[in-house]
Amino acid sequence: AQSVSQHNHHVILSEAASLELGCNYSYGGTVNLFWYVQYPGQHLQLLLKYFSGDPLVKGIKGFEAEFIKSKFSFNLRKPSVQWSDTAEYFCAVINTGRRALTFGSGTRLQVQP
Amino acid sequence: ETGVTQSPTHLIKTRGQQVTLRCSSQSGHNTVSWYQQALGQGPQFIFQYYREEENGRGNFPPRFSGLQFPNYSSELNVNALELDDSALYLCASSLAGSSGYTFGSGTRLTVV
């Protein structure tokens, strides 16, 4: 069975600091990878996704992620966070044979002004 | 383009009762998935419906059941509610064969 691990459960940063959130998945086949963000009281929104091609993926709001197949990783990065980035971030994977997203347990990001 | 709408937004039920949650898919989407998000956890896949039939299920007991209607809207039914069923229930719609999911804001279910 596939699984997703997010190593950081709660991250606190000051504005303008750089962000990197770790995500590792366990599945040996072809996967599609996602990062979702959940702002307080709002629905899950897609930040970015990787299906194939360039392993460095750029998403909305200045976020990017790098797929490293040999490490089964898909880490999320942002060079300079803003207070408005305070939210919960979820990494998710779907393999091409299944119909369901498998989510990590999430990382709560708190950005202090 | 309309998004995914879920109703109700909040619900309180007593242990042993039954509950029905509703979801309207995004326009153009024909597949609906339901997820359970317990406090402090990531969403867990319950099941998916396509062409009014269940075509994928996660590790949830049979008292979790669903329906999909011809207009692609969907219901999630939970019988014999347990305290551990307290969670945010998310509906996501997509187009069959794609991996583009649109999530609703969820229904917060509290079982007391």
Side-chain angles (χ1 to χ4, degrees):
Chain A
Q2 61 189 23
S3 65
V4 178
S5 297
Q6 292 184 240
H7 318 297
N8 318 99
H9 296 293
H10 188 194
V11 173
I12 302 174
L13 295 173
S14 298
E15 275 192 315
S18 64
L19 170 72
E20 180 159 3
L21 301 182
C23 172
N24 286 91
Y25 66 94
S26 65
Y27 183 72
T30 303
V31 292
N32 299 149
L33 297 153
F34 306 80
W35 275 97
Y36 283 88
V37 61
Q38 191 172 36
Y39 298 102
Q42 295 190 27
H43 60 275
L44 281 166
Q45 298 176 37
L46 181 67
L47 273 179
L48 48 80
K49 60 187 177 186
Y50 173 79
F51 286 1
S52 64
D54 188 344
L56 186 60
V57 181
K58 295 194 182 301
I60 61 171
K61 305 187 181 187
F63 287 91
E64 65 178 31
E66 185 176 12
F67 170 54
I68 304 180
K69 188 175 181 179
S70 61
K71 295 184 179 180
F72 297 90
S73 71
F74 190 56
N75 292 354
L76 181 71
R77 298 195 291 249
K78 185 171 184 178
S80 175
V81 295
Q82 300 173 313
W83 178 79
S84 57
D85 293 325
T86 294
E88 185 119 26
Y89 292 80
F90 293 95
C91 181
V93 62
I94 186 168
N95 73 52
T96 52
R98 283 175 56 86
R99 298 177 175 87
L101 289 163
T102 299
F103 285 88
S105 57
T107 296
R108 188 159 72 94
L109 172 65
Q110 187 178 344
V111 180
Q112 296 176 333
Chain B
E1 130 186 316
T2 58
V4 174
T5 56
Q6 294 186 241
S7 62
T9 54
H10 296 83
L11 200 54
I12 299 175
K13 288 287 190 177
T14 303
R15 190 172 50 181
Q17 284 187 315
Q18 178 265 343
V19 70
T20 298
L21 310 182
R22 295 178 174 83
C23 171
S24 294
S25 303
Q26 177 170 309
S27 176
H29 286 181
N30 55 12
T31 300
V32 175
S33 305
W34 285 90
Y35 290 80
Q36 180 196 67
Q37 187 178 9
L39 201 61
Q41 300 295 319
Q44 300 289 314
F45 175 66
I46 302 175
F47 45 55
Q48 183 182 89
Y49 276 80
Y50 171 63
R51 291 187 174 178
E52 302 176 48
E53 289 190 3
E54 184 182 297
N55 75 337
R57 189 177 185 93
N59 190 25
F60 281 81
R63 60 189 185 85
F64 286 78
S65 63
L67 285 172
Q68 186 184 30
F69 300 99
N71 65 354
Y72 307 123
S73 65
S74 176
E75 287 182 355
L76 164 66
N77 299 290
V78 187
N79 293 322
L81 283 166
E82 301 177 0
L83 297 179
D84 285 349
D85 295 333
S86 295
L88 180 68
Y89 288 85
L90 298 170
C91 172
S93 72
S94 61
L95 194 57
S98 82
S99 292
Y101 296 86
T102 301
F103 282 85
S105 298
T107 294
R108 173 73 62 189
L109 173 65
T110 302
V111 182
V112 298

